[in-house]
Amino acid sequence: MSDLNSHISTKNSAALFEEAQLYIPGGVNSPVRAFRGVGGTPLFFNHGEGAWLIDEDNNRYVDYVGAWGPLILGHCHPAVISALQTQLTRGLGYGASTAAEVEIAKTICKLVPSIEKVRLVTSGTEATMSAIRLARGYTRRDKIVKFEGCYHGHVDGLLVKAGSGALTLGEPDSLGVPKAYTDLTYVLPFNDIYAMKALFAKEGDSIACIIVEPVAGNMNLVPPVPGFLESMRELCTQHGSVLIFDEVMTGFRTALGGAQSVYGVTPDLTTLGKVIGGGLPVGAFGGRADIMNCIAPLGAVYQAGTLAGSPLAVAAGLAMLTEIQRPGFYESLTKHTAQMLTGLQERADAAGIPFSTNQVGGMFGCFFTTEEEVTTFDQVMACNVPQFKRYFHAMLENKIYLAPSAFEAGFVSAAHGENEIAATLNAAEIAFASLK
Ligand SMILES: Cc1ncc(COP(=O)(O)O)c(C=O)c1O
């Protein structure tokens, strides 16, 4: 980062990044952390406190990444830390069942009523991979449908974005993914009801499932247009296909009942992750009991995990799920997020910078665009990325840590209050002015 952010010293981060590159491919354990989307050198963080992240040079930043979504209570919330401390003294894992697993499963089923039964795994990727296998096993069909710009983890058959749009089969996005895997994946434009209906009219009876982020959070933030989720529900019901909502990101983020409660559309299966692990590695998939009963040991769809239901992850997750059920939690989160976005829009307008925002609950997206409303992948791709990069670095220099890519959603936590919002808006005023 150093050269692009001359006012703050980040020499310890820079030295660590040099060293990291000797031992870790690209110096990072997940590609987006490498800052390739914004240029410069990534920061190395030492610790977090509430809404703040502190880097290895002791700079303090307001954090809008929140570990990519899980930290809805902010860093080191006392309830989560205390639950972990208690579990630490009891053991790290037993490779066998625990009462807490039953408790978290019951809590998830209560909060997300479409989930009648749920299984815990160790990442979002595992959750979507298992849900797809289950949908295929249940329907005895092979083909699946996903949407352009939606990310469901690095599952082979889901690593396809656009190919040539509606009614075409996909091309892999990554070397190492056999084309035969993605040949079974149809990719459709997000928010395009017509393309979905056309595909189902032709191929509906051979489609095992649709998997969708009900609010797309991996192409910045794009909510569904009215009718989009409803239409896919109807088509899946008509053709006997399984509807999977990937709520790894949106679950307990957009609302207590997830995006499915916001839009009133009920999927057959839901995948979860992030918030349900309180910041520890976790994932889950669940849904209709008749479908879930097809999994081993009850059924012939195999799925397993050495660390699945890790007592630490379950303890942290349960603590977090308890906190977010407090009255007014989501009202306050949504209000603070809206307040911050209104302030950003005012400052962008004052500086004459074309800018718009999207928000669902505690998730938000910011777009450098002249479009008033962003609802499609093509609109997201047409945004002014060079301008975003300059904004990102100006914000960082003013101690605001945003996701280092123009295509990621942002996350507000319950620890973000008036002080953090004021700091963000002061920084934004300087950042927007620097773009003129
Ligand atoms: C919607 C969605 N699904 C699945 C995943 C994969 O989760 P994980 O990174 O835990 O494997 C992600 C990760 O960001 C995600 O946003």
Side-chain angles (χ1 to χ4, degrees):
M1 177 183 77
S2 39
D3 46 339
L4 288 162
N5 296 274
S6 50
H7 297 135
I8 56 175
S9 168
T10 55
K11 66 178 175 26
N12 293 340
S13 280
L16 281 165
F17 189 51
E18 284 291 312
E19 197 181 1
Q21 289 174 89
L22 299 177
Y23 305 106
I24 306 173
V28 293
N29 280 317
S30 195
V32 71
R33 298 180 195 170
F35 271 37
R36 296 274 168 108
V38 289
T41 305
L43 295 175
F44 280 59
F45 290 105
N46 181 282
H47 62 285
E49 290 170 12
W52 297 81
L53 270 174
I54 295 88
D55 73 10
E56 289 289 351
D57 294 271
N58 217 18
N59 299 303
R60 293 173 64 85
Y61 306 83
V62 181
D63 177 20
Y64 286 103
V65 178
W68 300 97
L71 300 184
I72 197 165
L73 303 177
H75 296 269
C76 299
H77 188 279
V80 176
I81 299 302
S82 155
L84 282 170
Q85 281 167 338
T86 304
Q87 182 55 46
L88 276 171
T89 62
R90 294 180 178 165
L92 302 182
Y94 320 113
S97 301
T98 64
E101 274 176 308
V102 184
E103 189 60 34
I104 200 167
K106 221 162 49 173
T107 307
I108 291 170
C109 292
K110 180 187 85 175
L111 297 178
V112 186
S114 72
I115 301 183
E116 295 170 342
K117 286 193 174 180
V118 62
R119 178 158 284 175
L120 295 182
V121 292
T122 42
S123 69
T125 296
E126 237 186 294
T128 58
M129 178 188 78
S130 307
I132 297 275
R133 182 181 305 149
L134 175 57
R136 283 176 162 152
Y138 174 78
T139 56
R140 313 278 167 131
R141 300 173 182 174
D142 292 337
K143 290 182 179 155
I144 63 175
V145 176
K146 79 173 283 287
F147 294 90
E148 211 174 19
C150 285
Y151 175 69
H152 305 289
H154 58 97
V155 179
D156 281 340
L158 296 173
L159 273 183
V160 202
K161 49 174 190 226
S164 43
L167 302 181
T168 62
L169 289 165
E171 293 287 333
D173 281 345
S174 165
L175 278 180
V177 176
K179 185 164 180 326
Y181 287 20
T182 55
D183 276 351
L184 297 170
T185 308
Y186 289 104
V187 183
L188 296 176
F190 190 81
N191 273 339
D192 186 337
I193 297 171
Y194 170 79
M196 198 164 50
K197 286 189 170 163
L199 175 66
F200 269 80
K202 234 175 119 189
E203 298 284 343
D205 293 346
S206 66
I207 290 172
C209 64
I210 292 184
I211 184 164
V212 67
E213 290 181 72
V215 173
N218 285 287
M219 50 165 157
N220 208 318
L221 186 87
V222 180
V225 294
F228 180 58
L229 300 177
E230 292 83 348
S231 298
M232 68 178 73
R233 175 64 278 172
E234 268 170 40
L235 289 168
C236 283
T237 304
Q238 258 172 32
H239 292 273
S241 311
V242 174
L243 178 58
I244 307 172
F245 277 5
D246 179 357
E247 297 229 42
V248 166
M249 191 185 275
T250 54
F252 307 111
R253 246 295 157 196
T254 47
L256 188 56
Q260 55 196 272
S261 73
V262 175
Y263 298 99
V265 177
T266 305
D268 300 306
L269 294 178
T270 299
T271 55
L272 296 168
K274 302 195 191 259
V275 169
I276 58 160
L280 272 76
V282 90
F285 64 104
R288 273 171 41 194
D290 63 322
I291 303 180
M292 291 303 289
N293 287 345
C294 294
I295 300 169
L298 290 181
V301 178
Y302 193 69
Q303 187 279 327
T306 302
L307 298 176
S310 146
L312 279 178
V314 168
L318 266 175
M320 199 169 270
L321 293 181
T322 304
E323 290 301 312
I324 64 178
Q325 291 181 66
R326 292 191 189 284
F329 181 89
Y330 285 92
E331 286 77 0
S332 164
L333 188 71
T334 303
K335 191 186 93 187
H336 281 134
T337 308
Q339 190 184 336
M340 194 269 293
L341 292 178
T342 305
L344 288 184
Q345 187 71 58
E346 285 165 4
R347 281 152 185 81
D349 292 348
I353 305 295
F355 184 78
S356 81
T357 64
N358 280 336
Q359 179 195 352
V360 184
M363 288 172 70
F364 67 89
C366 293
F367 305 90
F368 287 86
T369 178
T370 50
E371 309 265 7
E372 268 182 28
E373 202 187 359
V374 177
T375 60
T376 68
F377 179 70
D378 289 344
Q379 284 175 310
V380 174
M381 297 316 280
C383 287
N384 188 336
V385 175
Q387 201 163 41
F388 168 78
K389 291 182 187 178
R390 289 167 58 207
Y391 173 76
F392 170 86
H393 282 288
M395 291 295 270
L396 198 57
E397 206 170 324
N398 288 284
K399 309 286 178 66
I400 308 297
Y401 186 65
L402 303 172
S405 159
F407 306 115
E408 300 289 348
F411 300 98
V412 172
S413 81
H416 288 71
E418 302 297 330
N419 285 346
E420 287 77 16
I421 294 173
T424 306
L425 297 182
N426 284 340
E429 193 160 326
I430 300 168
F432 284 124
S434 76
L435 301 180
K436 283 201 257 183

